[in-house]
Structures are given as C-alpha cells and as structure tokens.
Amino acid sequence: MLREAVCWRAQDLLAQSFALHEQGYGLGTRILIRSAFETLATLVYLNQLMQQVLDGRLNFHLFGDKTTKLLLGSRNGDREGPRSINILTVLEKCDKRYPGMMEVYADLSESAHPSYAGLCMGYSKVNYDEYETTFSNRWMELYSDRNLAAIDMCMMTFHHEYNEVWIPLFEALEKWIETNDAQLEATKDEFPQDQ
C-alpha cells in the first residue's frame, strides 16, 4: 500500500510541477518538486528498511512499526495515530544512497521559505552601482533549467526505486517472512511499540 500511495503522489506532484513550469510559474514548480523529492525519499527509505531486515540489521517488528509510521504517521496534534518520521531524517538516509539529493532538496527548500532566496532573490534584482532595486518575478529566469533537471532526476530515481529496487526486495522479503514465520509469531508480543 505504501509503495502505491507513494507512486500516485509522486506522479501527481511531478505532473503538476511540470504543468506549472509550462505556464511559467517557477516558484510553484519548485515547491511541488520539493514535495516530490520528499515523496521519493519515502520510497527509497522503505527499500532501505526492507534491505536492513533481509541483512539482519533491523528487527522485523521494528520494520513494521516504521512502515506504519511512514504510511499512517502525522505531525498534526489533533489526529490520533503514530507520530510520523521526520522527513529530513528520511532524506538524510536517502542521500547516502543518492549523494546530492539533500543538496537539491536544500536548494528547493530555500525557494519555498521566505528567506533571502525565497524573497529577495526571487522577486528583486539589485544594481549596486546605481543603488537601485528592481522588483519582478524572477523564478523562471533564475531556475527554469534547474527545475527541469530536478524533475528529471526525481522521475528517474523514482523509476529505478519503484521498478528495479522494490520488486526484488519485496519478493525476497516475502520469502524471508515465510522462512521466519514461526519466530516472528513467537516474538510479536515481545516488541515494544513506538520505538
């Protein structure tokens, strides 16, 4: 379920970001690409967790707890349920597999926040010699090519993780569960929840 929900969300975010790019809305494009990278990171992290179970580095019951948090977790205090895993933690783990992912994400985040890049750089140009500031929407001028490169990077990485990494990992995990079924059943009550 987590894999498919991630797929639908990633496709939706990337399609909308490209549509905004085509219409010349650079800031919206960047914000949606940023969300797409967070979504991609969830899939990469899921695949990393499955590999850890198969390698004996992660208790299967803890794996279940983590995947529940990825799928059902929330930071909304009004909602009952598990607390979600911090997306920056997930992204940092993904950056180990795909070096540079955090750098792209950080660049996108600077645009999303009302910081220097999100305010001054995106909407003004300073002529220091004349002591003049000209205001305009500069998002496409500044980031058009980088936006397309980020969309491409996200799509290609998603395709690899979804089609080439997840499938053999999941098949191996199913076999691992069958092999270890008796032990998993015997230890299910020993695992402390919400670690």
Side-chain angles (χ1 to χ4, degrees):
M1 178 151 176
L2 180 57
R3 176 182 181 245
E4 293 310 304
V6 163
C7 180
W8 281 82
R9 179 177 167 85
Q11 186 280 327
D12 194 27
L13 288 166
L14 291 170
Q16 289 183 44
S17 67
F18 185 73
L20 286 177
H21 175 81
E22 290 286 298
Q23 295 173 34
Y25 295 110
L27 178 59
T29 300
R30 293 180 67 72
I31 291 170
L32 290 176
I33 296 169
R34 177 179 181 256
S35 292
F37 270 98
E38 292 173 345
T39 303
L40 165 62
T42 302
L43 177 62
V44 174
Y45 186 56
L46 170 64
N47 290 344
Q48 289 173 330
L49 293 175
M50 282 195 290
Q51 187 65 60
Q52 289 173 13
V53 170
L54 294 171
D55 294 344
R57 295 181 289 129
L58 179 65
N59 177 288
F60 180 78
H61 301 295
L62 183 55
F63 167 77
D65 185 57
K66 286 183 182 233
T67 56
T68 297
K69 289 176 181 177
L70 286 172
L71 184 62
L72 303 174
S74 173
R75 297 273 170 163
N76 185 345
D78 298 352
R79 188 177 166 279
E80 287 187 32
R83 184 165 173 82
S84 63
I85 298 171
N86 184 304
I87 195 63
L88 290 177
T89 301
V90 172
L91 281 157
E92 286 168 359
K93 293 183 185 302
C94 295
D95 192 63
K96 291 178 181 167
R97 182 175 178 112
Y98 296 101
M101 183 183 284
M102 276 299 290
E103 185 178 332
V104 172
Y105 180 78
D107 181 55
L108 293 165
S109 293
E110 283 299 310
S111 298
H113 298 137
S115 60
Y116 171 74
L119 287 174
C120 295
M121 211 165 95
Y123 296 105
S124 67
K125 190 171 193 175
V126 177
N127 180 333
Y128 293 99
D129 295 333
E130 298 295 324
Y131 300 101
E132 291 179 347
T133 301
T134 306
F135 290 92
S136 64
N137 186 323
R138 302 182 62 222
W139 292 103
M140 291 301 285
E141 169 193 339
L142 294 170
Y143 297 109
S144 180
D145 291 341
R146 284 165 61 184
N147 287 348
L148 291 176
I151 289 171
D152 187 56
M153 177 187 186
C154 193
M155 285 189 326
M156 298 304 287
T157 307
F158 180 85
H159 173 79
H160 175 72
E161 288 288 327
Y162 183 85
N163 290 312
E164 298 170 30
V165 176
W166 188 88
I167 292 170
L169 272 176
F170 189 74
E171 289 171 354
L173 183 64
E174 285 181 316
K175 289 177 184 168
W176 184 92
I177 291 170
E178 287 175 16
T179 302
N180 294 285
D181 185 52
Q183 179 195 11
L184 293 173
E185 185 63 30
T187 59
K188 69 180 181 184
D189 294 330
E190 296 173 11
F191 178 70
Q193 294 298 313
D194 214 16
Q195 288 187 3

